[in-house]
Amino acid sequence: MSEPKRDWQKDLKVFRERMGGLSEEKKAWAREQRDTLKAIRQALAGGPATIPQIAERTGMPGKKVLWHVMAMKRYGKVAECGQAGDYYLYELKEGGS
Amino acid sequence: MTKIKPFYDGLVLGGGIAGMQAALDLAGQGFEVLLVEKEPTIGGVMVGLNKVFPTLDCSSCICTPRMAEVAHHDRISVLCYTDLVRARRRNAGFEVILRKKPRYVVEEDCIGCSLCELACPYFAPHEFDQGLGARAAIYIPHGNAIPQVPVLDPDYCMLDGNCARACPKNCIDFAQQAEELSVGVGSIIVATGLRLTPMGAKKQYGGDRHANVMNPLAMERVQSSNGPYGHILRPSDGKIPRSVAYVQCAGSRDQSIGVPYCSRVCCMYALKQAIMIRHQRHDTQVTIYHMDIRAFGKGYEQFYRRAQSEGVRVVKAKVARITEVENGDLSLRVELIDEGGRVADIRHDLVVLSQGTIPGWRPEGALPLEVDDDGFFAIPDIAARPANSTAEGIFVAGVATGPKDIPDSIVEAGAAAMEAAMYLDRVRESAGEMA
Amino acid sequence: MILRVDPSITAELSQYGGDTAVKCFNCGNCTAACSLTNQESVFPRRYIRYIQLGLKDKMIGSLDPWLCYYCGDCSETCPRQAQPGKLMMASRRWLISMYDWTGLSRLMYRHEWVEVVMLALVALLVLALFTIPANFGFRLLAQHPEALRTVNLSDFAPKEVVHWGDIALASLLGFLLLSNAARMVFHVRRHAAGGAGWAFLAELREFVIEGFTQRRWRDCETGAGKHWLRHLLLVTAYGAMFCLVVVFLRWFQVENTSFHWSSLLGYYSTLVLMGATLGIMSDRLKKREQIHKDSDLADWLFVILLFLTGLSGIALHLARLLDLPLTTYVLYTVHLMIAVSMLTVEVPFGKWSHLFYRPLAMYLQAVEARRQHSAIPAGATRAPVTV
């Protein structure tokens, strides 16, 4: 208990310097991910949809849509809600956006 | 986390099933053991598997109790996220330099609450799910991970401090850096396991190009109840596959990709996964294309027959080429030997390449050990002392010495622990005589 | 069905350069890896199975080896390193020697020195032709030293002599090649069903087109374009030279420094001949592609002799233009020694014969396909496979 309290904000500043700040590449990646998630949320705003349906509405490849929908599902922002043919349906969870 | 002592009787490299077993068996004989694992959690490949063959028992249900036993053992210290820099012989033992990679989380303070992970808004490919699932930039490797401590991945961290803000214990430590440790050990057991043959190894299969060509570990995750999808789906569009193909010897027994040996487990895991698909989806067809089925172990031949009686098709044909057709479906070009040698292009929704096993780690000077042409550790007297390496005081177990299944790895780990114990006793005795 | 297994065939084939048949465990990778296989042509695995079992009748009657252009995809990806491509190559040699009723081909492929001796014998015969007769050649020169003042090929090698020599040689080689080809047709069609009469006529086109272009080669996935083009050029050069020498000799063989337009064609042929053979030799030395990895003496001799034919032709041409009589005559003799011995040995017995057998095989295959097709009622198609 004698140790001084960790000041993470100060450490973060040093860490940021050590990492050489945020690269443009990384910023672009983060922006693209935010846009992707936003597009998926919009596509699901009208109600449950399958991956190919979301892909069609967002104009993104199915593989990318599936990966992001599964990420959202893992962290509780999307839930599975039934099946349509060979595909499952996904819906936004309340407060998930 | 126990404090690291200056000396251990045994150092075990690798926290997979072989390494954990070796550590338990050596500690069980009264020796002090340090287990070093390069990943942020112990458990190795096995903890990510869905089932084991031929019993179809839950793999993690067998693996996690051992993980817990290792973590709680009085005479075992565990160092995760740590690499071996080098080990040099000193007297009868070794001086070992280790490099502990920064987790950016203070392990002693963390309570594993996951609030940091939930606060991070970014998604990165999840290693545990073979990239098919996502995880945050700071994450606990998986539900059964030991220790239950997150690791921050600087490659994906946007440096926004959300995790630290959410942490109730203030244990996110951005100031952490890699640290070198020096320990003395009396003996070493190498259990560094396996990697899969790279997916792009055979260019005719396009394993690195086609979305719906999967590696077998990815399929294990997909079949697991805690897997990336929660169901068996294919990666290109989340479709429930109605026709799945297994391409055997996709990464072994093929001189053209530089892996001439048999990986020993692929026939069995393919049969197992095929059965599991049939259990989960009764109407999904599963076809295994093979050169021959090698079901060599106890109960394995029966397992092969069981798979066939459960509707798994087993077709003698080496797949020569996989081509992507519409919808991400795949066309497999084969000669159907049993149909009079007819060339056919056969279509499937999803293809699993039964990739082979290659060495998980190469010493490259870090250890004074010799490896064979295939990269696995050389065993001078394979018939009589299968756990003895080319160096005195260093023992080897599991896939590090060559492809093998879980039961064989466990048996070999026990043998390595026994050899290490005898070696330590001999050293002790001769030291006693000198004194 | 009872099969008589004959293990001696695998040993026999290894004398033709294919010693890996026993390695094959019939996984079928080679067949599926080949971009030329389809419902009609299924090789090489099936043929390797024949070799393993020693089914000589099946082997002799099979066209499979001729359908392969040795791109090497099968050998590259064979999990057993059984070298299916090389086995097809060895089988082609074996087939050539099976078709050949004189037995010389067999001797030649099994013992490399036989080919060298045969080449040497024919070369000596040519030399004799220009040294023994009194009314032309070197003996004429010896009697009339004034003939050495300027190049006068008509004295050294009168056109009638060369012309009738050409005709005689072409007839002999043609007879040997055609009689061997007839045996090939016999073996292939021996067990075939009847009713193919019309198909034999209808598919003649295939024979002609394939013979001139070897167009199926382009369907190979690896290296096809380059090798096919080079081969095509080589064939045109060969064909042009053949016409010049056999049909148009009276214009092509000109005196001292005079020039005839047919020489232009000769230039083209020589350039292509030398360029292509140099390219082939350099590829074989580099051994980058499967097709160039397993060349033995017979393969090398063929290309070297082709190259030397071109080289001696150029030298002869230059010597004539420079009006160096003795040099010209010596080079003329050397040129003929090389060209005639190469043709005599290679056309009916050796590697050259593939230029005839391969299109013939394509033709026979097309005939059989047409016959089978007409036997299927209209509208019936093979169902697509789904598993």
Side-chain angles (χ1 to χ4, degrees), chain B residues 4-246:
Chain B
I4 301 304
K5 300 166 192 165
F7 183 84
Y8 290 89
D9 297 310
L11 165 73
V12 176
L13 292 174
I17 188 61
M20 292 193 295
Q21 190 64 45
L24 287 170
D25 288 352
L26 193 55
Q29 297 180 77
F31 295 99
E32 292 284 336
V33 178
L34 173 64
L35 179 77
V36 170
E37 165 61 48
K38 68 177 187 307
E39 300 293 334
T41 169
I42 53 173
V45 171
M46 184 178 174
V47 76
L49 304 181
N50 178 36
K51 304 278 174 182
V52 294
F53 56 77
T55 53
L56 295 186
D57 286 321
C58 159
S59 182
S60 60
C61 308
I62 299 171
C63 194
T64 44
R66 277 207 175 67
M67 291 163 68
E69 205 182 334
V70 165
H72 294 130
H73 201 290
D74 285 344
R75 284 186 293 277
I76 301 178
S77 304
V78 179
L79 265 179
C80 282
Y81 219 32
T82 301
D83 294 327
L84 170 74
V85 178
R86 66 183 167 273
R88 293 279 172 267
R89 200 174 284 283
R90 201 177 59 189
N91 305 325
F94 301 88
E95 188 192 340
V96 177
I97 310 290
L98 302 166
R99 184 176 176 275
K100 195 170 183 332
K101 294 172 270 194
R103 265 187 124 98
Y104 303 104
V105 174
V106 182
E107 286 180 47
E108 295 75 18
D109 295 348
C110 175
I111 54 170
C113 67
S114 283
L115 287 177
C116 55
E117 180 169 358
L118 294 172
C120 177
Y122 297 102
F123 300 133
H126 197 345
E127 291 79 357
F128 186 60
D129 285 336
Q130 301 290 314
L132 293 179
R135 50 135 174 106
I138 185 166
Y139 63 107
I140 294 179
H142 55 85
N144 293 321
I146 289 183
Q148 277 286 310
V149 174
V151 53
L152 184 145
D153 180 351
D155 286 347
Y156 290 96
C157 177
M158 294 301 291
L159 309 170
D160 52 18
N162 283 337
C163 49
R165 215 166 283 120
C167 178
K169 297 289 287 179
N170 191 22
C171 62
I172 308 293
D173 182 4
F174 293 110
Q176 243 178 34
Q177 296 199 41
E179 114 188 68
E180 285 216 340
L181 304 167
S182 173
V183 247
V185 299
S187 65
I188 299 175
I189 295 176
V190 183
T192 43
L194 62 108
R195 279 187 301 135
L196 291 182
T197 332
M199 282 297 273
K202 200 166 174 80
K203 66 176 194 301
Q204 290 82 357
Y205 290 168
D208 51 351
R209 298 192 304 274
H210 309 319
N212 291 327
V213 174
M214 243 187 220
N215 87 44
L217 290 179
M219 184 45 113
E220 290 288 337
R221 297 306 310 144
V222 165
Q223 293 188 350
S224 298
S225 52
N226 63 345
Y229 306 147
H231 306 277
I232 300 174
L233 304 178
R234 65 177 196 176
S236 77
D237 58 359
K239 186 187 172 203
I240 300 164
R242 299 301 177 189
S243 151
V244 181
Y246 278 83

Side-chain angles (χ1 to χ4, degrees), chain A residues 68-89:
Chain A
H68 285 89
V69 169
M70 289 303 142
M72 294 165 86
K73 184 173 155 233
R74 176 181 157 101
Y75 288 103
K77 296 166 200 299
V78 153
E80 203 179 277
C81 59
Q83 201 177 326
D86 284 344
Y87 297 90
Y88 285 97
L89 288 162

